[in-house]
Amino acid sequence: MRAALEEAGWPARVLVACSGGPDSLALAAAVAHYARRGAVRGKGGGSHPLEAGAVVVDHQLQEGSGEVARATAHVLAGLGLSPVRVVTVEVQQAGEGPEAAARIARHEALAAEAEASGAGAVLLGHTLDDQAEQVLLGIARGSGPRALGAMRRVRGLLLRPFLGLRRADTLDVCVAEGLDPWFDPTNEDPRFMRSRVRSAIMPFLEAELGPGVAEGLARTAALLGADADWLDEEARRTYAGLAEFGSSDTEVTPGGGEVTLPIDALRALPPALRGRVLALAVTDLGGQTTFERLGAVERLLERRGSAGPVEVPGHVSAYRAAQGRLVLVSHR
C-alpha cells in the first residue's frame, strides 16, 4: 500500500473502487486501516492524514445488482470509509464486447467521482492472478508488448496496490477482518473468455507445469511493460520531431485535420519505433489502430510515386504523396 501511494505522489484523498468481491473488499479494509493510522509522509518529507472514501459502481447487468451495491456500501461505511457513493451506469452493449464496455463505463464513472470529490487517486483491487490472466489473454489475442505489459501499479489516476498479492491472500484478509464478500457469478460463467482462463486454463497450467505459473506471467508483464514504456517515450519524441500538422491550404492543430510525415525518415526507423510513430499519427487524428490497418499504412512506405489511400477505422485515411511524404487525413 505504502509503495503505491508513494509512487502516486502521496495523494491526500483517495477513493476505493469496490464491487463487494473479496479483492476489492480486502483492499477497502486495508485502506481504512491505513487511514486510521493517522498522518502519512507526503511530498517533501511532510505528513498529512489520508482521507479515504469509496465508490460502488452498479453496472445493472445482473438481477439484484442494486441490492448488492447498497449492501456493499453499507459494509464500506462500517469500515470507516467516507463518503461512500453508489453510482449507477449504463453499459453500452457494442464495440469490443460486454466486458470492455463495462470497464469503460466503470472507469468513466470513477474518474467523474474522483474529480467531484477532489480525490488524487482511485484504488483498484486487481491482484497478481488478474495480471497473469491478462497476459494469457493478450497472448491468445496476438497482442503486442503494450498489452502484454498488462496492468501497472500506478497509471494516471488509477492505483493497484495488490498487484503483488495472490487472490487467495485477499480471501485471507476478508476472513481475518470478518468480512463476507460477494462472489460475482460471471467470474465462473464459461461464456466469457476471462472466466474460462480463471476457472480452467490457469488451474490446468499450474497442474501441468507446477506452481509459479502466475508469478512467471506477472514477471513477464513487468518486463514487457518497462520495455513498452521506453519505446513509447522514444516514439513520442520521434513523432514530435517528424510530424507536420496541416497543409499549405489548411490550418489545423494536433488532434484533427492532417498529419504529414517524411517517408525516408520513417523507413530509417527501427520497426518497433516506426509502427508506434504511425500509430501516434492515427490516434492524433482520432483514428483507431489495428494490426492489419497499420500494416497496410506501413506498406505505403515501400511503394513508388503516389499510392493509397488506405482507410483506417475512425474516419482516417493515409496516402503516399509527392516529394516523399506520407499524409494522414481525418475525415470527421
Side-chain angles (χ1 to χ4, degrees), residues 91-259:
V91 177
Q92 302 298 320
Q93 298 289 347
E96 299 181 17
E99 291 175 281
R103 182 175 62 252
I104 291 170
R106 179 169 62 253
H107 284 192
E108 288 176 349
L110 293 174
E113 287 298 311
E115 182 177 4
S117 66
V122 175
L123 278 62
L124 307 178
H126 295 115
T127 66
L128 186 146
D129 294 83
D130 295 307
Q131 187 79 293
E133 292 160 9
Q134 188 73 9
V135 174
L136 277 182
L137 287 168
I139 292 172
R141 292 166 177 160
S143 302
R146 167 53 61 208
L148 295 182
M151 297 175 286
R152 305 304 177 82
R153 184 167 63 182
V154 177
R155 180 172 289 282
L157 190 68
L158 304 179
L159 272 65
R160 298 178 173 92
F162 279 4
L163 277 184
L165 295 182
R166 297 298 304 265
R167 191 168 288 134
D169 297 327
T170 67
L171 287 167
D172 290 341
V173 170
C174 289
V175 171
E177 295 293 326
L179 301 172
D180 185 19
W182 169 71
F183 292 90
D184 187 348
T186 63
N187 288 336
E188 304 297 328
D189 191 334
R191 293 178 298 171
F192 300 107
M193 185 182 293
R194 182 178 292 278
S195 299
R196 297 196 297 273
V197 169
R198 175 175 298 186
S199 62
I201 297 175
M202 283 299 298
F204 172 80
L205 291 176
E206 294 277 0
E208 294 297 319
L209 302 179
V213 171
E215 288 84 354
L217 289 168
R219 284 194 299 273
T220 297
L223 292 169
L224 287 173
D227 291 348
D229 283 346
W230 186 85
L231 285 167
D232 287 347
E233 184 57 36
E234 283 295 301
R236 282 189 288 269
R237 283 198 290 265
T238 302
Y239 175 66
L242 295 179
E244 295 181 6
F245 300 94
S247 62
S248 58
D249 58 354
T250 306
E251 289 295 330
V252 295
T253 57
E258 182 178 297
V259 175

Side-chain angles (χ1 to χ4, degrees), residues 299-300 303-310 318-322 326:
R299 286 193 290 275
L300 289 174
R303 304 285 292 274
R304 295 189 180 278
S306 299
V310 170
Y319 64 93
R320 180 179 176 129
L326 181 71

